[in-house]
Amino acid sequence: MQNFTFHNPTKILFGQGRIADIGAEIPAGARVLVTYGGGSVVKTGTLAEVKAALAGFTVFEFAGIEPNPTYETLMQAVELARREKIDFLLAVGGGSVIDGTKFIAAAIPFAGDPWDILARRAPIASAVPFASVLTLPATGSEMNNGAVITKKATQDKLAFANPLLYPRFSVLDPAKTLTLPPRQVANGVVDAFVHIVEQYLTYPADAAVQDRFAEGLLLTLIEEGPRALAEPENLAVRANLMWTATLALNGLIGAGVPQDWATHMLGHEITVLYGVDHAQTLAIVLPAMLQVRREEKRAKLLQYAERVWNLRDGDEDTRIDAAIARTRAFFESLSVPTRLSDYGIGADAVTALVAQLDRHGMKKLGERRSLDLDGSRRVYELAA
């Protein structure tokens, strides 16, 4: 196991009705900006519930944060926050709203062009405190310090992270996920699944605890994901999915182990050029990624085949083939297609996608930094 430091300061308020408890978690007298997306939190009554819990605070609202939050939109929120002297932010929504709010939190006190936080890795000296009310389990953003932001003007989708950007607290009420459409439920399962794989399917590091945690989370998604679609009113299933998605990317299973993230980097370019949902891009890329890199991932692929998919018969290559096929079939069973062509994207897109990776400096990816642009091209071609 590699050396590691693990610290996660986010307080979790889990269960039905926990939105009512948020007032006690926010500093008295705070000027609060509530951020949200396209209005589903209004229609479902979640926003009204949040505002009722914030009685006694000075509250402002900012709506319209996109599924892939854009710098252009978020800067409007930054201007509002600066103008109204906001000193606490509350994100109400899924990972995109929380990611966007992390950027807002860092950008409000930032001196200079806030895009430098992403494009130039400019240091973040301070951030406005924030919290979240999660309505879509998928990204784990509710309990980590990272975010991904898109700049429409330049077609850049970039990630950043900082210890100052952990939510102070996050409310996880599984009942808030019951109104999600099937597409978003399925996307959330795929997103969480690939988050786990990026930290697990690398090479052995004698990290038995992290491996078993990861395998347990994968098995939970495999069992509960289809049930969430078949039994949309099953609150117990939604509770397990919500907690699994949070644990998939809160730092626990990634402590002391090598991490990959190449699937995400290739997926980001599909989203920014073609507008495909983030989770859908992961479903497109992952099976091809595992196939192209099967030799360097051989030991963990065999472990994955045995422990997650119960594949023990046949020679090693047969088991690896079956594990990759099972992974693709799982995504497809959730009605998440796994090829570029399924989304109307032709093989001619590969050149543009590789050019994007090149432009963003994504020339050595993966846990060993062994995936070069030629390797990424092969992944995209196999995913076509």
Side-chain angles (χ1 to χ4, degrees):
M1 195 185 310
Q2 299 171 352
N3 290 1
F4 66 88
T5 299
F6 177 71
H7 173 69
N8 192 314
T10 301
K11 183 176 184 178
I12 297 296
L13 309 180
F14 190 98
Q16 286 185 267
R18 298 306 305 274
I19 288 175
D21 299 331
I22 65 178
E25 304 294 333
I26 299 173
R31 295 172 65 82
V32 182
L33 176 62
V34 178
T35 59
Y36 55 97
S40 62
V41 297
V42 177
K43 297 174 188 174
T44 60
T46 299
L47 183 63
E49 197 174 337
V50 167
K51 290 169 74 174
L54 292 174
F57 292 93
T58 302
V59 178
F60 300 83
E61 296 178 31
F62 183 85
I65 296 177
E66 306 93 338
N68 291 290
T70 66
Y71 172 77
E72 290 85 351
T73 296
L74 299 175
M75 284 305 296
Q76 296 175 36
V78 171
E79 292 167 9
L80 170 62
R82 288 172 173 171
R83 185 169 64 248
E84 299 296 346
K85 297 180 171 55
I86 297 298
D87 50 21
F88 199 93
L89 301 166
L90 183 63
V92 182
S96 292
V97 173
I98 302 171
D99 275 17
T101 303
K102 289 177 182 177
F103 177 79
I104 296 166
I108 291 169
F110 188 79
D113 181 358
W115 183 246
D116 287 347
I117 294 170
L118 292 118
R120 300 179 183 276
R121 296 288 188 266
I124 298 170
S126 64
V128 173
F130 76 100
S132 78
V133 175
L134 182 66
T135 62
L136 172 57
T139 70
S141 192
E142 66 276 4
M143 201 178 179
N144 66 43
N145 66 349
V148 181
I149 308 299
T150 299
K151 191 171 187 179
K152 285 195 299 185
T154 55
Q155 292 189 314
D156 292 315
K157 185 170 183 176
L158 303 176
F160 76 110
N162 188 275
L164 296 173
L165 296 176
Y166 282 99
R168 298 297 176 92
F169 67 87
S170 287
V171 175
L172 277 60
D173 181 346
K176 299 304 173 188
T177 73
L178 292 173
T179 57
L180 291 171
R183 173 172 164 174
Q184 289 186 324
V185 174
N187 278 353
V189 173
V190 171
D191 201 358
F193 192 98
V194 180
H195 285 161
I196 299 163
V197 166
E198 295 272 38
Q199 300 163 87
Y200 167 73
L201 260 179
T202 56
Y203 56 83
D206 293 317
V209 174
Q210 293 90 324
D211 278 1
R212 290 296 191 184
F213 273 148
E215 290 154 1
L217 295 173
L218 291 171
L219 287 166
T220 302
L221 292 173
I222 291 166
E223 293 167 1
E224 303 285 47
R227 288 187 68 195
L229 296 173
E231 306 169 28
E233 301 300 318
N234 192 322
L235 191 62
V237 169
R238 297 305 180 97
N240 280 313
L241 284 183
M242 184 170 249
W243 190 224
T244 300
T246 299
L247 290 170
L249 200 58
N250 73 344
L252 184 64
I253 66 170
V257 300
Q259 300 186 26
D260 187 345
W261 301 108
T263 294
H264 273 70
M265 297 305 102
L266 270 65
H268 286 170
E269 305 301 357
I270 300 173
T271 295
V272 80
L273 290 187
Y274 300 101
V276 179
D277 293 353
H278 171 63
Q280 292 172 339
T281 72
L282 302 180
I284 291 168
V285 173
L286 181 64
M289 181 71 72
L290 296 179
Q291 191 65 255
V292 168
R293 299 172 62 205
R294 60 187 291 147
E295 289 309 315
E296 65 180 287
K297 293 179 178 287
R298 175 172 288 269
K300 288 304 284 284
L301 275 167
L302 289 167
Q303 181 176 315
Y304 171 68
E306 178 178 348
R307 295 187 183 179
V308 176
W309 296 111
N310 198 29
L311 296 166
R312 294 177 169 83
D313 298 329
D315 62 25
E316 289 187 353
D317 285 320
T318 298
R319 281 176 275 151
I320 289 172
D321 285 341
I324 295 172
R326 290 282 188 94
T327 305
R328 185 186 296 278
F330 174 61
F331 296 158
E332 297 275 359
S333 76
L334 300 171
S335 298
V336 182
T338 58
R339 297 193 183 277
L340 287 168
S341 58
D342 295 323
Y343 301 88
I345 303 170
D348 57 338
V350 171
T351 298
L353 291 167
V354 174
Q356 281 281 102
L357 289 173
D358 189 14
R359 186 165 72 87
H360 291 141
M362 302 295 175
K363 301 175 185 180
K364 293 183 183 297
L365 298 175
E367 60 270 26
R368 299 185 189 274
R369 300 294 177 261
S370 59
L371 186 71
D372 59 15
L373 291 175
D374 286 339
S376 293
R377 179 182 294 278
R378 290 197 300 276
V379 173
Y380 281 134
E381 288 173 345
L382 192 58

